[in-house]
Structure formats: C-alpha cells, structure tokens
C-alpha cells in the first residue's frame, strides 16, 4: 500500500496519453486541490468474508460479503474525514509484527453499529463494539524535494531551477516519448527497456550535439560527456523527471538548481508479476525519506498527549497540542479534532465519553 501511495504521485504516468487541451482542463480543475492528480484512500481490516457470484444469467459479478468487508469500506471512506492516505483497524494492527506496530499511530477509537449519538449516550460497551483506528504517516512530497546529491561526480549541467519541490515531468518532449513508447508496445518488458533506452539515448545525444553546434563559443570543458547524457528511458517512460528541456536533456533522476544542489527523483517501476514481501524494504531510502519528517519523537509524543487530553475532557490542552501539529506538520487528524473542539466552543458535552461513532 505504501508503494502504491508513492506511485500515485507520478502525475505524468497517468496524464501522458491525454491531449494537451484535456490535460490543461484537468489540471485547471484540480489546481486548488493539494496532492497528486490521482488520489486514493486505503482501508485495511482483517476478518472473514463469503465469496460468491451475484447477479442474473445475463450478468454475474464475483463479490465478497460480510461485516468485515463493510468495515474495510468504512475505513477507506473515513480517510477523507481524517485527511489520511490509509486507515488500519485494531484487528489489522494486531496482526503486525512488533517492529511494524511501533511505526503506526493510533488516531481514534470509535463505537461501531450503535448510531451517530453513541459518543454521547449512556450505553454499555463491550470490547467488540470499540474500533481502534491506526495509520502509517507518510510525507511523500519529501521524495520530490531538493536535496544534496554526492553520489556521482559527473553532474549534468541543466537549466536553472529554483523550485525546491517538483513533480515528475517529461523533459525530452512528450510527443517524441509517446512515439517511442508506441514503437516498443508489445515487446517483453526487458527488451522494451533496453530498446527504448538506446533510442532515447541516441535522441538525447543528437539534441545535445545540435544545441552545442549553435553555441560554438562555449568552453569545451563544459560540454557534457556521453555518459552524462545517457537517459534511463524506462524510468522516463514510467514518469520520471528529466528536469531539462529539448535542447538540454538531463538524467531522469537528477536536476540542478542555482545553489548547485541536485535532487534525486524517485523512479516509477511497475511490477510485472507477484512481488514477494521483503523485510529490507523498510530500510530503503524512500521509506526513510517519507518518515524523516516524523522522526525524533516530538510528533508522536505531542499527538499522544493531545489525544489523551481529548479523551479526559481537557480540551484546552488538547487544542494546544493539535494546533501545534496542524501548524507544523499539516496533520489531518489534528485538524479533525480541532474542528470538533471548535464546534463545541472548546467545552466537551456533559455526556462526552471519548468515543466517536460509526
């Protein structure tokens, strides 16, 4: 699910086949909405379900039916209310290894199946009536932020770019890349990667040679080497950014700015079959980057203190904690609790039990 959330941020992969006019209309419509063009919420729950075919002789649909299925749908729809990308139930959370549990954050506890007024009614609660909600916090925008890159010595000269947070864009020319993509359609993925890479590399070298011929007075030492203009076409095809223009191609994973820093952009590599779970994925650079914002302990400790104060009716302290997190981290759950506190003018209802309702 985490990898899917990251893949959704590669806007060009989802819009590259659209016409320029359609793409412009779409981006204009979504310009006030934060985040990528394609957005999804995920509800994770563990339980039993009945699988079967439902319909008529004309049309049959395979489906799953159970309370657990409905609960997972509820979790998915609740991601909008809390401003999160994923929600996990307590049942799903309890199945995780202890090393993974510590990465999750409890954001709420609700009463299920007793109506909207459950939070303020005097009802007898059993353990099965209470649903705890957890999430895995991710700062995916951090993968596109400028950061120093010292991995390669031959840095490619690119146009000045002062934007510290960029989204992947195609830099050799959308029409040319689409043409090459159509020419490689139907081939094996590895053959397509190799063939497409050679073609784009040749195109990049031709474009660079043409660009240099128009500037005969340029210093010879500033001309890029063959290695520096070789483009990883597979990642470009999948939505990687080149950060350059048609006359100045650049690597899909690096781009320069006026400060001399380079950003390492994530590459979109889609699986071609089943992917086995790998424990080492949790120590990958991408996972470390999207979690860096929440490291240090302050974020989780502050939210836990605010949530505990909210449950114990100390809403003044809860407001201070949630307001700090909303301002510094733009935290969705904190904003959710702030809206509840503001609606009640900072005073808990007399029969407030500390539980939400579903």
């Amino acid at each position: 699910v985490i990898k899917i959330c990251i893949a959704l941020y590669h806007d060009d992969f989802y819009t590259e086949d659209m016409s320029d006019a359609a793409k412009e209309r779409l981006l204009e419509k979504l310009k006030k909405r934060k985040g990528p063009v394609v957005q999804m919420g995920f509800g994770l729950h563990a339980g039993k379900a009945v699988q079967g075919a439902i319909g008529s002789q004309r049309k049959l649909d395979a489906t799953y039916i159970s309370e657990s299925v409905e609960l997972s749908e509820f979790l998915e729809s609740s991601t909008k209310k809390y401003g999160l990308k994923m929600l996990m139930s307590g049942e799903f959370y309890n199945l995780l290894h202890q090393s993974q549990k510590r990465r999750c954050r409890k954001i709420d506890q609700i009463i299920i199946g007793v109506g909207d007024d459950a939070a303020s009614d005097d009802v007898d609660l059993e353990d099965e009536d209470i649903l705890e909600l957890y999430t895995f916090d991710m700062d995916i925008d951090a993968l596109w932020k400028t950061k120093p890159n010292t991995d390669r010595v031959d840095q490619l000269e690119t146009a000045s770019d002062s934007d510290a947070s960029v989204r992947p864009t195609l830099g050799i020319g959308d029409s040319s890349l689409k043409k090459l993509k159509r020419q490689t359609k139907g081939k094996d993925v590895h053959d397509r990667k190799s063939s497409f890479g050679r073609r784009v590399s040749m195109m990049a070298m031709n474009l660079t040679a043409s660009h240099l011929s128009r500037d005969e007075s340029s210093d010879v030492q500033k001309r890029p080497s063959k290695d520096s203009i070789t483009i990883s076409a597979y990642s470009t095809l999948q939505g990687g950014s080149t950060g350059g223009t048609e006359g100045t191609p650049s690597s899909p994973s690096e781009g320069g700015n006026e400060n001399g820093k380079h950003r390492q952009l994530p590459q979109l590599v889609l699986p071609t079959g089943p992917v086995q779970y790998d424990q080492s994925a949790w120590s990958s650079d991408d996972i470390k980057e999207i979690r860096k914002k929440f490291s240090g302990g302050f974020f989780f400790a502050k939210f836990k203190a605010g949530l505990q104060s909210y449950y114990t009716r100390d809403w003044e302290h809860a407001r201070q904690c949630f307001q700090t997190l909303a301002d510094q981290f733009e935290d969705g759950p904190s904003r959710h609790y702030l809206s509840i506190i503001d609606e009640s003018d900072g005073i808990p209802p007399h029969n407030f039990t500390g539980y939400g309702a579903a």
Side-chain angles (χ1 to χ4, degrees):
V1 172
I2 297 173
K3 291 184 177 180
I4 294 176
C5 291
I6 295 176
L8 291 176
Y9 273 65
H10 291 264
D11 289 342
D12 284 344
F13 180 79
Y14 305 101
T15 61
E16 62 182 352
D17 292 329
M18 300 174 61
S19 66
D20 293 339
K23 184 187 299 186
E24 184 178 352
R25 289 195 300 269
L26 176 63
L27 297 179
E28 177 66 22
K29 181 179 180 180
L30 301 177
K31 67 178 182 180
K32 294 183 179 180
R33 190 188 70 176
K34 292 185 178 181
V37 171
V38 179
Q39 298 186 9
M40 297 176 62
F42 297 87
L44 306 180
H45 178 63
K48 297 181 179 180
V50 177
Q51 178 186 7
I54 295 180
S56 64
Q57 294 181 348
R58 291 188 175 184
K59 186 176 185 298
L60 288 177
D61 291 324
T63 187
Y64 295 87
I65 300 175
S66 76
E67 291 183 0
S68 296
V69 174
E70 295 180 358
L71 188 54
S72 64
E73 293 178 353
F74 164 76
L75 293 173
E76 182 274 325
S77 62
S78 297
T79 57
K80 302 180 182 66
K81 179 174 70 173
Y82 292 100
L84 297 169
K85 294 178 176 62
M86 75 166 71
L87 277 177
M88 294 174 279
S89 66
E91 286 78 2
F92 185 92
Y93 171 83
N94 291 330
L95 295 176
L96 299 177
H97 190 272
Q98 189 62 37
S99 62
Q100 311 308 330
K101 287 183 178 180
R102 64 181 179 82
R103 294 185 170 97
C104 301
R105 173 172 57 132
K106 179 180 176 180
I107 63 166
D108 204 354
Q109 54 189 21
I110 62 176
I111 307 170
I112 58 176
V114 290
D116 295 335
D117 297 330
S120 58
D121 286 343
D122 186 14
V123 295
D124 294 331
L125 299 178
E126 299 181 1
D127 291 341
E128 57 267 25
D129 295 327
I130 301 174
L131 177 65
E132 294 183 327
L133 304 182
Y134 295 84
T135 190
F136 180 86
D137 294 287
M138 299 175 284
D139 179 23
I140 300 179
D141 285 320
L143 296 177
W144 277 269
K145 292 179 181 178
T146 300
K147 63 178 181 179
N149 181 1
T150 58
D151 292 338
R152 59 184 287 185
V153 178
D154 272 343
Q155 296 293 357
L156 177 63
E157 290 189 4
T158 60
S160 176
D161 179 8
S162 60
D163 189 359
S165 179
V166 298
R167 199 56 65 74
T169 55
L170 301 178
I172 299 181
D174 291 350
S175 59
S176 299
L177 286 174
K178 290 179 182 178
K179 180 179 179 181
L180 291 177
K181 184 178 178 181
R182 289 194 298 269
Q183 292 174 350
T184 58
K185 186 177 182 180
K187 295 184 179 181
D188 181 79
V189 63
H190 299 292
D191 295 338
R192 182 165 66 249
K193 176 181 177 181
S194 176
S195 173
F196 189 83
R198 289 192 297 269
R199 296 186 184 190
V200 177
S201 296
M202 293 176 64
M203 177 185 294
M205 288 187 285
N206 291 336
L207 288 171
T208 304
S210 174
H211 172 72
L212 291 175
S213 65
R214 292 193 296 269
D215 189 7
E216 296 295 336
S217 61
S218 299
D219 193 332
V220 176
Q221 294 181 352
K222 292 184 178 180
R223 296 184 181 183
S225 64
K226 291 183 179 180
D227 293 337
S228 67
I229 58 176
T230 299
I231 293 182
S232 173
Y234 183 61
S235 62
T236 304
L237 171 65
Q238 300 299 344
S241 173
T242 62
T245 63
E246 284 196 10
T248 57
S250 62
S251 166
S253 60
E254 299 177 59
N257 59 24
E258 69 271 18
N259 295 324
K261 296 182 180 179
H262 286 75
R263 60 184 179 273
Q264 188 72 26
L265 301 183
Q267 300 181 12
L268 178 60
V269 180
L270 300 180
T272 58
V275 178
Q276 298 294 328
Y277 175 76
D278 185 3
Q279 177 69 22
S280 63
W282 293 102
S283 58
S284 66
D285 291 339
D286 285 352
I287 296 297
K288 291 179 180 179
E289 192 66 32
I290 66 177
R291 294 285 291 179
K292 183 184 297 184
K293 178 179 179 179
F294 309 102
S295 62
F298 172 80
F299 175 80
F300 294 103
K302 198 70 170 178
F303 183 84
K304 183 177 181 180
L307 192 61
Q308 186 62 33
S309 297
Y310 177 81
Y311 291 155
T312 56
R313 304 172 63 90
D314 185 5
W315 281 18
E316 182 60 33
H317 180 254
R319 185 204 295 272
Q320 296 175 5
C321 294
F322 293 140
Q323 190 65 59
T324 299
L325 297 179
D327 294 340
Q328 297 185 15
F329 296 88
E330 298 183 349
D331 183 49
S334 295
R335 290 176 174 175
H336 166 70
Y337 286 114
L338 284 174
S339 65
I340 295 177
I341 294 174
D342 291 340
E343 288 176 1
S344 299
D345 295 328
I347 302 175
H350 69 281
N351 53 357
F352 172 74
T353 62
Y355 295 94

